[in-house]
Amino acid sequence: MSTTIQNIQATYAFVERNANLVKRYWAWELVWMVYSIANSLSVSFIGLGMEALSGEQANVDGRFLVLYLVIGTLVWRYLTTVFYWITEVISIERWEGTIEYTLMAPVRRVVHMAGQTVFAVVYSLFFTGVILVVTVFVFDLDMSQANLWGGLVMLIAGSFSFIGISIMVSVLPLLFPERGAQMTHIVIAVLLLVSGVYYPIEVLPKALQVFGVVSPATYVLDGVRLTLLEGTPTNQLWPQIWPVLVMGTVLIPLGLWVFNLAERYAKRTGKLARNG
Amino acid sequence: MTTYAIIVNQVIKRFGREKDNHWIKGVFRKWTSANGKNGNKPVEEENTGPVLALDTVSFQVKEGEIFGVLGPNGSGKSTLIRLMSTLLLPDEGQILVMGLDPVHRQIEVQQLINRVSVEASFFKKLSPMENLIYGARLYGMGGKEIRQRVVQILTRLGLEKRNIFNPMEEMSRGMQQKVAIARALLSRPKILLLDEPTTGLDPVSKREVQAVVMELKEQDGTTILLTTHDMNEAEVLCDRVAILHKGKLIALDTPEALKDLVPRMNGHKPSLEDVFIHLTGDKLKEEQKEDIESAQAMVRAITNADKLVEKESQPALEQ
């Protein structure tokens, strides 16, 4: 059998396995979906709250603020869902006790990560799509001027850089069996702070703005806001797209390199063993 | 000419860090020791060095043979299997699997081997069919024939068809272990590494698994490396047996030849269990001695506590 077909089979193995896990854990998925919708709505209602609190004289555009926050919550939900599916590449296997079986299979790590990533992107798009539909319905948002296709292109382009970061961060559960999975949250917390998810990064202190410039999420949020709030055509998104593509081109190979180093270290010190 | 499926050459594997000899830590250790904050344990007695899991182990496994590895818990059996499975890297020495070094030709070695461990490790919510299809795809298999082969192997191992589509968590341990063996067989490995595959199984399941192992050897010519605690199993299944003790290989021969190492007892030829206890007995005796000492210490402590309670309650009764 050719190596290409073997690699496609192995990539599909991870996609199919994760789809089966989602199907079998459907109750948990439902709970997570309800939680995510409630979370997105709560944040978005702040827009209407600001309008009500400021009074009529302040002339705050509540509808604009709601859409601004809706985009923030949706993009952030999408990126974090991709992030957690990839960083859990080791945690899931540790939890189930299958890590040694998966890592002793004749599968290159790049193929392993490709399978996990394909599933992560498809799942996250579906998950975020459901939240978008509910949010549009609840707030009666007018999306007639929005360039939805452009928003999708921006999300997909931004995924690559997030995939690179996620692969790099996924070594934490490999190196620290007991607390590694919890340590991944720190990365998301810092990115949330500096990327302008719920506010423009210009309101941040100058020192934090520097981190905002190197965060891929900043460009994804900018691009999606341009397409959905202002209807900017897709071909004018290049200033937002090229930085995330460059970051992805650097971060994905770097992530794989770091992961391989960490895997080798884990194999040398015996950290792969199921019970940590 | 004998061809070897596995060659283990002077392999050493340690776990844990080297003793940290930084002068600041040394001063701190001396200070804590002097002030009784370290249980008054002398610095020299602190056991912070690495554990030697395998100590210069060498042997060869012939192609098509069933090679047994016996040893008490912690003797290095699973470490040995993990080294062959590309899950650990040796510190020194070399292993060759079908002439390939698992450290440098990982993927090629992985294509030749599969493993069954003492714990049947699966995605518990997924069914045997889903778990096995996942495993098969990782080994490059696809298409409709996988499903047929999964059903064929599982029914051969005595699993009922209705169980094939239910979650693994609803199955008994014995059934889960059969699915683990099926998963290993699915990839048609040239070398099968069995790490205590029958531990915890009922006698019937154990025999079924043993029958499959024999069948694999006779029909497919699969080379099998088996670690076990079950001496009868080793005697029945294995062509040759190695005994590991504290990471060292202390004996290696056919079960019959190993029995000749121990003198006859009451005119009877010793069993493999007698050989095992004879060769690894020192450790068992030490452990038993420690158990007796700790039990005696506990009895003394309970007696002293009883006396103290009696003494304290005496004035109250007098009042």
Side-chain angles (χ1 to χ4, degrees):
Chain A
M1 184 189 291
S2 79
T3 313
T4 314
I5 294 174
Q6 206 165 342
N7 287 339
I8 292 169
Q9 281 289 357
T11 305
Y12 184 63
F14 294 103
V15 176
E16 187 183 43
R17 180 204 70 184
N18 289 340
N20 283 332
L21 284 172
V22 167
K23 194 175 72 187
R24 295 278 183 181
Y25 285 101
W26 66 269
W28 160 248
E29 293 298 327
L30 191 66
V31 168
W32 184 238
M33 177 67 83
V34 171
Y35 167 83
S36 301
I37 291 170
N39 204 289
S40 292
L41 293 178
S42 307
V43 172
S44 305
F45 269 115
I46 292 172
L48 294 180
M50 288 293 289
E51 189 180 28
L53 286 170
S54 306
E56 281 182 13
Q57 286 176 338
N59 201 20
V60 172
D61 184 351
R63 306 302 295 177
F64 174 83
L65 280 179
V66 166
L67 198 51
Y68 187 92
L69 291 170
V70 163
I71 293 167
T73 60
L74 290 176
V75 170
W76 193 242
R77 180 63 60 198
Y78 169 79
L79 292 176
T80 51
T81 309
V82 169
F83 176 87
Y84 282 122
W85 265 105
I86 297 172
T87 54
E88 281 180 3
V89 68
I90 291 297
S91 317
I92 291 175
E93 305 264 6
R94 266 198 208 285
W95 167 254
E96 298 277 1
T98 53
I99 184 167
E100 292 194 325
Y101 286 91
T102 300
L103 295 190
M104 68 172 275
V107 177
R108 292 187 193 284
R109 217 47 68 217
V110 63
V111 174
H112 186 174
M113 288 298 177
Q116 194 75 5
T117 300
V118 168
F119 180 82
V121 170
V122 172
Y123 174 91
S124 306
L125 281 174
F126 173 77
F127 198 83
T128 314
V130 173
I131 302 174
L132 173 69
V133 169
V134 174
T135 316
V136 167
F137 177 75
V138 169
F139 289 104
D140 193 20
L141 296 173
D142 178 16
M143 304 291 282
S144 57
Q145 299 301 313
N147 172 13
L148 288 171
W149 170 248
L152 186 65
V153 168
M154 192 66 236
L155 268 187
I156 305 277
S159 305
F160 291 106
S161 46
F162 248 71
I163 289 163
I165 295 174
S166 311
I167 294 172
M168 224 179 293
V169 176
S170 66
V171 303
L172 291 172
L174 190 64
L175 298 178
F176 307 99
E178 295 85 8
R179 284 277 173 260
Q182 286 86 335
M183 287 157 90
T184 61
H185 301 316
I186 184 77
V187 177
I188 279 298
V190 171
L191 287 173
L192 174 67
L193 173 69
V194 301
S195 304
V197 178
Y198 303 122
Y199 41 78
I201 62 166
E202 290 74 29
V203 303
L204 291 170
K206 283 269 183 267
L208 286 180
Q209 284 185 37
V210 175
F211 293 103
V213 173
V214 293
S215 163
T218 306
Y219 301 94
V220 183
L221 284 154
D222 271 358
V224 175
R225 281 190 173 122
L226 284 172
T227 55
L228 300 191
L229 285 173
E230 298 169 24
T232 303
T234 313
N235 58 10
Q236 289 178 25
L237 288 174
W238 189 237
Q240 283 72 36
I241 287 178
W242 78 258
V244 287
L245 288 182
V246 168
M247 286 184 201
T249 312
V250 174
L251 290 171
I252 291 177
L254 185 65
L256 286 166
W257 181 72
V258 169
F259 194 94
N260 278 329
L261 279 185
E263 187 178 338
R264 205 170 167 77
Y265 173 78
K267 284 181 176 179
R268 196 159 49 77
T269 52
K271 283 182 187 286
L272 287 188
R274 285 187 297 274
N275 298 324
Chain B
M1 196 183 83
T2 312
T3 47
Y4 294 110
I6 303 170
I7 298 173
V8 179
N9 188 19
Q10 305 278 310
V11 167
I12 297 176
K13 184 68 201 167
R14 300 177 194 89
F15 292 113
R17 287 182 185 182
E18 291 290 338
K19 201 166 182 173
D20 194 343
N21 287 326
H22 194 279
W23 69 272
I24 294 178
K25 287 195 177 175
V27 169
F28 180 73
R29 267 201 296 269
K30 274 184 186 163
W31 181 81
T32 50
S33 180
N35 287 283
K37 293 184 180 181
N38 206 16
N40 287 328
K41 198 190 275 183
V43 179
E44 292 73 24
E45 278 183 31
E46 281 183 42
N47 187 17
T48 53
V51 174
L52 196 55
L54 287 176
D55 186 1
T56 334
V57 172
S58 298
F59 62 85
Q60 292 93 30
V61 180
K62 291 174 203 159
E63 233 183 287
E65 83 171 326
I66 302 182
F67 187 90
V69 180
L70 302 180
N73 291 332
S75 59
K77 303 187 296 292
S78 297
T79 301
L80 194 59
I81 283 196
R82 286 191 171 105
L83 285 165
M84 292 170 188
S85 321
T86 72
L87 293 167
L88 281 176
L89 301 175
D91 293 328
E92 288 174 45
Q94 191 187 36
I95 291 177
L96 293 175
V97 177
M98 292 293 189
L100 304 168
D101 184 346
V103 178
H104 300 110
R105 299 175 75 174
Q106 190 173 289
I107 297 282
E108 287 159 86
V109 169
Q110 287 167 338
Q111 280 164 342
L112 297 171
I113 57 164
N114 215 318
R115 167 179 172 237
V116 177
S117 70
V118 64
E119 287 165 36
S121 308
F122 288 101
F123 290 91
K124 293 171 271 297
K125 287 273 180 205
L126 302 189
S127 67
M129 178 61 89
E130 288 163 339
N131 270 296
L132 265 58
I133 286 179
Y134 165 63
R137 288 197 200 286
L138 292 183
Y139 284 80
M141 290 176 268
K144 283 179 187 168
E145 67 272 19
I146 293 187
R147 287 179 177 273
Q148 287 167 355
R149 192 161 151 73
V150 167
V151 174
Q152 188 195 340
I153 293 177
L154 286 175
T155 46
R156 175 181 157 200
L157 284 164
L159 214 77
E160 287 177 43
K161 264 193 176 176
R162 64 187 165 90
N163 287 322
I164 295 174
F165 302 96
N166 292 334
M168 293 290 300
E169 63 186 1
E170 291 172 13
M171 298 170 77
S172 68
R173 201 181 113 49
M175 281 159 76
Q176 288 187 14
Q177 197 63 358
K178 284 180 188 173
V179 180
I181 290 166
R183 174 174 59 187
L185 300 185
L186 206 54
S187 66
R188 295 191 176 94
K190 287 241 183 292
I191 298 170
L192 190 56
L193 306 168
L194 302 174
D195 194 0
E196 299 179 32
T198 57
T199 300
L201 295 190
D202 63 72
V204 177
S205 302
K206 197 178 258 193
R207 287 213 175 164
E208 282 171 352
V209 170
Q210 289 169 353
V212 171
V213 172
M214 281 309 283
E215 203 180 307
L216 272 172
K217 185 204 165 180
E218 283 160 12
Q219 289 182 6
D220 304 339
T222 311
T223 307
I224 296 165
L225 190 138
L226 168 84
T227 73
T228 181
H229 281 306
D230 187 332
M231 303 299 150
N232 291 330
E233 184 171 276
E235 203 164 345
V236 170
L237 293 179
C238 299
D239 298 309
R240 290 190 303 148
V241 170
I243 299 179
L244 274 180
H245 182 39
K246 294 179 180 172
K248 280 183 189 283
L249 188 78
I250 55 169
L252 166 61
D253 217 322
T254 61
E256 284 307 308
L258 284 176
K259 286 179 197 170
D260 291 336
L261 293 174
V262 178
R264 284 174 171 262
M265 285 178 290
N266 302 325
H268 293 288
K269 194 168 188 184
S271 64
L272 202 55
E273 190 166 304
D274 294 326
V275 177
F276 181 78
I277 291 172
H278 178 78
L279 293 173
T280 63
D282 289 348
K283 183 182 186 298
L284 296 176
K285 279 175 198 160
E286 275 169 29
E287 281 172 4
Q288 281 167 353
K289 199 178 157 193
E290 276 171 22
D291 287 346
I292 291 166
E293 279 172 0
S294 66
Q296 284 171 340
M298 202 181 285
V299 169
R300 274 199 301 274
I302 292 167
T303 316
N304 288 341
D306 284 346
K307 279 179 187 169
L308 199 69
V309 170
E310 238 171 63
K311 213 175 182 182
E312 279 177 357
S313 58
Q314 206 68 26
L317 288 171
E318 281 167 8
Q319 279 170 8

